[in-house]
Structure formats: structure tokens, C-alpha cells
Amino acid sequence: MQKVFYLLLFAFVRLHALLPMRILYMISDILYPVIYYVAGYRRKVVRQNLQRCFPEKSEKERLIIEKRFYRHFSDYIVESIKQASISKEEVLSRAEFTNLELIEQWSEKGRSGILMLGHYGNWEWFSSINFRFENLQFGQVYRPLKNKVMDKLFLQIRSVYGAINIEKNKTMRELLRLKSENKQVIIAFLSDQTPSTNNLIYWTHFLNQDSSILVGAERIAKKADFDVFYLDIQKKGRGKYVGEFKLIAENPKTTAEFEITEKYARLMEETILRDPAYWLWSHRRWKHSRN
């Protein structure tokens, strides 16, 4: 039964993915009032998050951010659908990587790297594509979805451009295997998710409140000796994004404990504060408090 459901769902996504972007954005314009006004999808969570992060803003200012977020979220949905058929060339024209000189010079050393980013803009376009360096294998770490059908669908979409998809619990093993095979890789980590109760290890002041930050990327970078970069994403227009590479740490084994994680937190915060509407505010980010 699950196989049949998956095939039907994939066919539905694939058919809609063949539509031009202008038509998909028309669908997004219809989705927005349905998601925001009719369904009220996680509106309480979004409102609470914005209130906690921006107490200095007026209710009217937060409401503007809230509505802009839902408009962007509707665009993100149709852009993710389009990923099932969009060409690599079109993605690279819509999700432009900048500061490639940094990666070009670094790649000549033959080392591998970790790319830290967050749920900002259209992170899917940036985290699942092999960009302009043929010698580099791109990939991403993912947390399996509880719904097996949806999990399979997202993996299929994320693999369209040849990216490696590594299950979270197998990350260290897979990176060491790739290293032993002398493969040069850059693996993306979405590190702004809420840590589980057992992983509340590092706390910092983030977006106006005490926040626990995932330390997995730092620990893996040190064990595997992978250099660390950050991707600073900006939304320039509808379906137009720019991601700038920034160096967090070369030779991570020489860094102090939590230095990489703290640098990531500051860079991620800077990205969000530049234009808050494009972060995933519907995520229950602050479920835990420091004891």
C-alpha cells in the first residue's frame, strides 16, 4: 500500500514540477491564504517565536514579518516541488554561489569540508546540488522523516543532482568511509535544528534568548579532520537566492571546544537578523530550557 501511495504522490509532484515557475508562483499565491488564514498552519508557534526573538518590535512590525514568512513559505513549497524536474543550470541561475574563489583555493589542498547552514531562504536548492567543481562531491546530512513515504519522496528529490544523502545516525561512519576512499567532499549540515534532550550540550545567547545549539558538525569535523564553512544565504527576489561561502575553521582540531559552534551561531544569527522573514519560524526551536 505504501508503495502505491508513494508512486501516486511522486507522480503528482512530478507532474506539477513540469509546470513553469510563473505558474507555480501563481499556485503559491493561492496557497498562502489557505495556509495562513484557513489552516493557520503553526501560526501560534510562529507568533510565539517572533515575540520571543523580537520583543523590542511592535505587534504590527512582528505581524508584517509573520505574513512575509508565510508568503515565502508558500514559495518554498512550490520551489521544492519544482526541484523534481528543474535543470541543474536553472537551479544555479536561481541559487547562485558566491565567493567561489575561497572554495577553489581550498579545494586545491585536497581536503574535505563541512558546510554549515540553516533553514533559511531555499536551503534545499543549496544543500542538494553539486556546484561548479567537478572534483568535489556534494552531499548533505538529513534527519529521516517519521512518514516513510514522505521520507522516500524527499530523498528522491534531493538526489536529483547527484548529491549524497547521509542519514544523521550514520554520518561519522560515512564520512570516514569517504575519506578512506580518498574522495573529496563537502557535506552540508543544517545545524539550526533543536537538539534532542540528550544533546543539550552547548548553550549560547541566540536571537535574544538562551539557546542550545547542535554540536554534531563541530565534533564530526574534528574527528574526521574536515574543514568547516558557512553558507550565508540571502533572498534577492522571488526564486532568486545568493549563498556566500565563509570560512569558519581550517584544521578544526586546533580550535577550542565549541569555538566552531559559537562562530556558526553568530553567523546564522546575522543572516536571520538581516531579513527575519526567510527563516523557518514554524519550527519549534525553543522546546528546552537550561537547567
Side-chain angles (χ1 to χ4, degrees), residues 41-52:
Y41 173 71
R42 292 197 173 185
R43 194 163 60 189
K44 184 178 180 181
V45 174
V46 172
R47 197 160 289 178
Q48 287 176 341
N49 282 340
L50 289 172
Q51 189 172 10
R52 292 176 66 174

Side-chain angles (χ1 to χ4, degrees), residues 4 11 25 36 50 95 121 131-132 141 201 215 217 239 288:
V4 173
Y25 284 132
Y36 182 63
L50 289 172
F131 54 102
R132 305 181 190 279
V141 174
I201 297 166
V215 299
H288 311 293

Side-chain angles (χ1 to χ4, degrees), residues 117-129:
L117 66 159
H119 292 83
Y120 190 91
N122 189 328
W123 62 91
E124 295 285 356
W125 280 356
F126 283 106
S127 64
S128 60
I129 187 166

Side-chain angles (χ1 to χ4, degrees), residues 107-205:
S107 68
E108 291 175 356
K109 301 175 184 178
R111 290 175 60 80
S112 287
I114 283 173
L115 182 64
M116 299 181 76
L117 66 159
H119 292 83
Y120 190 91
N122 189 328
W123 62 91
E124 295 285 356
W125 280 356
F126 283 106
S127 64
S128 60
I129 187 166
N130 264 333
F131 54 102
R132 305 181 190 279
F133 300 96
E134 292 182 2
N135 59 314
L136 282 173
Q137 172 65 56
F138 209 77
Q140 62 182 314
V141 174
Y142 75 97
R143 182 182 292 179
L145 300 174
K146 291 180 181 178
N147 185 305
K148 300 299 182 184
V149 174
M150 293 301 295
D151 187 58
K152 186 176 180 181
L153 176 65
F154 269 92
L155 280 176
Q156 178 74 20
I157 292 172
R158 288 167 177 164
S159 302
V160 169
Y161 312 115
I164 303 169
N165 288 281
I166 302 173
E167 191 175 327
K168 179 186 173 184
N169 293 333
K170 300 176 181 177
T171 304
M172 192 69 241
R173 185 194 319 160
E174 285 300 303
L175 294 193
L176 290 175
R177 180 185 64 80
L178 290 166
K179 186 174 183 179
S180 69
E181 294 173 358
N182 294 317
K183 292 183 179 178
Q184 191 177 15
V185 298
I186 290 186
I187 305 298
F189 282 67
L190 287 158
S191 297
D192 58 344
Q193 294 172 304
T194 305
S196 63
T197 306
N198 295 328
N199 289 301
L200 301 174
I201 297 166
Y202 181 67
W203 293 81
T204 189
H205 197 70

Side-chain angles (χ1 to χ4, degrees), residues 13-34:
V13 170
R14 181 72 178 176
L15 284 171
H16 282 77
L18 295 173
L19 294 171
M21 285 302 306
R22 66 179 184 279
I23 302 298
L24 287 172
Y25 284 132
M26 290 172 65
I27 294 174
S28 173
D29 290 338
I30 297 169
L31 273 177
Y32 162 65
V34 174

Side-chain angles (χ1 to χ4, degrees), residues 20 36 63 74 97 118 122 149 166 197 203 212 244 251 257 271:
Y36 182 63
L63 186 61
S74 299
F97 289 96
N122 189 328
V149 174
I166 302 173
T197 306
W203 293 81
S212 182
E244 180 185 357
N251 302 313
E257 187 177 22
T271 297

